[in-house]
Amino acid sequence: MQITVNTPACVGAGQCVMAAGELFDQDDDGIVMLLEDSPDAAQQAGARRAASLCPARAIKIAE
Amino acid sequence: MTGSHSIVPDTDAAPKCPFHSPESVFEGSTPLVPSEALGALRDEAAAVPFLYSDAHQGWLVTRHSLGRAVLEDPRFSMYPRRMPLGPSGGHPLDIDDRAIHSVHDADLLSLDEPQHGKLRRTVLGRFSVRAVRGYQEAVQEIVRSQLVHLLEVGSPADLAAEFAQPISARTHCFVLGVPDDQVQKFISLFVDKSTSQQKWDFVREVIELRRDNLGDDVISDLLGSELTPTEIEGVLFVLMVSGRDSVAYMITTGTHILLSHPDQAALLRDDPALIQAAIEEFMRYGTMFVTLFPRTALEDVELENVLIRKGETVSVSPVAANRDERRFEDPDVFDVTRDSFGHLAFGHGQHGCVGQQLARLEIRTALGAILAEIPSLSLIEAEQSRPLPWASDLPTYEAGSLVVEWNAA
């Protein structure tokens, strides 16, 4: 699995950090930071959940 | 344009009003028990024709999936914003020219991209998950002191006025950077009644006070940004009037829900860690916004087999969407163990609530304190059990008073 984030689209709602805090954080301006772009098997459900909850559809996942 | 708006063609060809009016859809609705009409319309279609009270026609979106799709679609504009569901049909312009200029430049709730995003990004950093973690201690202290105050007032008491309202007002001031000695004035203007101009004057006064004494707060960030003075005032005005009453509403309504569902309250008391995720269920079940601000289609938009024509107005109903059985199983059951993430109580998309992480912290801390510290709390009367007038020009629920009693320790 490969995660990419579209930072210009990010609206800073923080849903991804709530869904998968080990994969996503927000920088000092509240914009998404990808901590890990290739999640291991145990983290993949969290990654999918973050992508589905993102209000800006700023998280893309390639399986 | 002049003339009456009441001219209706008196012919048989005139449609027999297939449109649903706010009165017919929302009548009888209360925070814990949405109107039956709203549920019936959701069963009928994902979006139903809607006759706004200023007589123009549009759509009411009732189902979760379509609501979400509309809210994240940039083909819908927030401008020109219509607020046709209110009691009065608009306000006189009782603010000065500078304030009108600020509304024009910086009303986050009626702007589209790129201006909206430019303004929003100046304050995002203060509302991130990480930033809000930094407010935890301060919010705990505010909640603790308001709990002491509530206990001092003594049983019975109105929990909305003595606990919920002050928590949200004080936290609002803390995060925005309203100086401590101005908090009472903030409450008298923004919680109690005042004119719009008095609020704008206060916004400008507070900015001047902060300018000489910058801190770690929203106002200081705005002053250090590239925004123009009228943009700064406009953004701060929106932040001062938004979120404060809705957090107070949710603490009040959340307590009402707890006291009406003792089995669920017991689960949360037995396992306090549950409340972290359960806040989403409180938000879903007790949603404040019957509809969000209307959107206008900038072009013909087809979503989920619904065609919304260019220029038509669309109102998404979070209350209806959050009780949609297609998204949430047994939606009328309050269940703190369910996965309620993805609800639309904070809105969704680019205009979704900017302060939602802060709101979660406040509501979680306040409800957690009630569960842990006043186990004997019980309900005498919740004003919101019967339909109340809307809280604003938008159809949003009023918290109302929540009279509770408890056994003194």
Side-chain angles (χ1 to χ4, degrees):
Chain A
M1 175 184 281
Q2 194 70 24
I3 309 174
T4 50
V5 293
N6 176 6
T7 48
C10 176
V11 297
Q15 296 281 337
C16 54
V17 187
M18 292 175 74
E22 71 285 6
L23 301 177
F24 304 94
D25 199 355
Q26 289 166 279
D27 66 17
D28 288 345
D29 297 324
I31 301 300
V32 63
M33 285 194 304
L34 187 55
L35 302 177
E36 173 58 65
D37 64 357
S38 326
D40 63 34
Q43 296 170 327
Q44 293 186 358
R48 286 189 200 97
R49 187 172 163 81
S52 77
L53 288 173
C54 175
R57 302 269 179 192
I59 300 169
K60 293 280 177 257
I61 289 182
E63 303 266 356
Chain B
M1 199 170 88
T2 58
S4 165
H5 291 279
S6 61
I7 300 166
V8 175
D10 183 22
T11 71
D12 288 343
K16 291 259 187 294
C17 200
F19 290 89
H20 304 279
S21 68
E23 295 75 24
S24 68
V25 177
F26 305 138
E27 190 166 6
S29 233
T30 62
L32 272 54
V33 187
S35 73
E36 283 179 24
L38 197 54
L41 291 179
R42 185 178 52 226
D43 287 340
E44 192 178 305
V48 295
F50 196 56
L51 184 68
Y52 290 86
S53 47
D54 68 350
H56 87 277
Q57 299 165 355
W59 297 90
L60 179 71
V61 175
T62 58
R63 290 186 191 166
H64 184 278
S65 171
L66 182 61
R68 200 183 132 112
V70 167
L71 295 177
E72 61 188 35
D73 194 318
R75 291 174 294 176
F76 292 100
S77 169
M78 295 290 278
Y79 181 88
R81 178 172 96 203
R82 287 178 174 274
M83 296 201 297
L85 304 176
S88 61
H91 301 290
L93 282 176
D94 58 355
I95 52 176
D96 60 28
D97 287 351
R98 186 181 173 93
I100 292 171
H101 194 159
S102 286
V103 172
H104 178 268
D105 287 352
D107 179 8
L108 287 158
L109 299 169
S110 67
L111 289 168
D112 292 332
E113 306 313 323
Q115 176 73 359
H116 166 265
K118 181 189 94 172
L119 299 172
R120 184 177 165 118
R121 275 176 183 246
T122 59
V123 300
L124 267 188
R126 292 277 163 205
F127 297 102
S128 68
V129 172
R130 198 192 319 167
V132 167
R133 247 177 242 137
Y135 305 143
Q136 210 160 318
E137 247 173 68
V139 171
Q140 276 165 355
E141 175 51 31
I142 288 171
V143 168
R144 196 199 58 76
S145 73
Q146 288 307 141
L147 192 72
V148 168
H149 169 76
L150 179 70
L151 296 174
E152 278 170 5
V153 169
S155 172
D158 175 10
L159 185 133
E162 309 297 348
F163 186 70
Q165 285 286 8
I167 288 171
S168 68
R170 291 174 63 189
T171 306
H172 224 68
C173 288
F174 169 73
V175 173
L176 292 181
V178 176
D180 289 345
D181 59 3
Q182 299 294 314
V183 173
Q184 276 313 317
K185 187 166 183 190
F186 172 86
I187 291 173
S188 73
L189 292 173
F190 288 82
V191 180
D192 307 331
K193 289 264 174 286
S194 65
T195 66
S196 295
Q197 188 61 51
Q198 286 174 312
K199 294 189 180 84
W200 282 100
D201 291 342
F202 181 75
V203 164
R204 293 170 197 156
E205 283 165 32
V206 167
I207 288 172
E208 287 319 306
L209 288 171
R210 260 293 154 241
R211 195 185 299 281
D212 301 326
N213 185 19
L214 297 178
D216 271 338
D217 52 63
V218 170
I219 299 172
S220 299
D221 285 2
L222 287 169
L223 285 168
S225 73
E226 310 273 292
L227 301 189
T228 66
T230 46
E231 285 175 336
I232 291 173
E233 290 165 23
V235 170
L236 186 57
F237 184 87
V238 173
L239 293 178
M240 278 199 182
V241 298
S242 309
R244 199 255 331 135
D245 60 331
S246 35
V247 168
Y249 162 88
M250 207 57 234
I251 294 172
T252 304
T253 303
T255 306
H256 183 201
I257 295 171
L258 279 177
L259 298 178
S260 322
H261 296 81
D263 56 324
Q264 298 296 305
L267 285 177
L268 292 171
R269 224 174 256 124
D270 290 348
D271 183 1
L274 270 184
I275 202 158
Q276 187 86 17
I279 288 307
E280 309 306 319
E281 176 66 351
F282 283 96
M283 300 293 308
R284 182 195 74 80
Y285 190 82
T287 306
M288 178 181 183
F289 283 73
V290 181
T291 81
L292 296 168
F293 288 105
R295 269 73 171 164
T296 305
L298 295 171
E299 56 188 86
D300 288 0
V301 178
E302 188 169 351
L303 289 169
E304 305 188 2
N305 298 319
V306 177
L307 176 63
I308 298 158
R309 299 233 178 245
K310 180 177 178 177
E312 285 184 332
T313 306
V314 187
S315 288
V316 174
S317 171
V319 163
N322 288 344
R323 300 280 188 123
D324 181 359
E325 63 187 3
R326 293 153 199 83
R327 178 64 176 75
F328 301 103
E329 202 177 321
D330 293 328
D332 293 326
V333 174
F334 175 70
D335 175 2
V336 296
T337 64
R338 80 158 82 221
D339 179 1
S340 309
F341 280 88
H343 64 74
L344 302 182
F346 287 118
H348 182 72
Q350 285 158 324
H351 286 270
C353 175
V354 75
Q356 58 180 276
Q357 300 299 345
L358 178 60
R360 286 182 170 100
L361 171 66
E362 292 178 70
I363 298 160
R364 185 173 75 227
T365 309
L367 295 182
I370 286 169
L371 283 162
E373 307 296 337
I374 332 180
S376 65
L377 197 72
S378 66
L379 183 64
I380 296 181
E381 200 204 351
E383 205 179 2
Q384 59 171 246
S385 296
R386 55 187 160 77
L388 299 172
W390 300 132
S392 76
D393 289 342
L394 271 183
T396 51
Y397 291 125
E398 185 77 67
S401 60
L402 189 78
V403 184
V404 293
E405 62 181 346
W406 62 92
N407 301 327

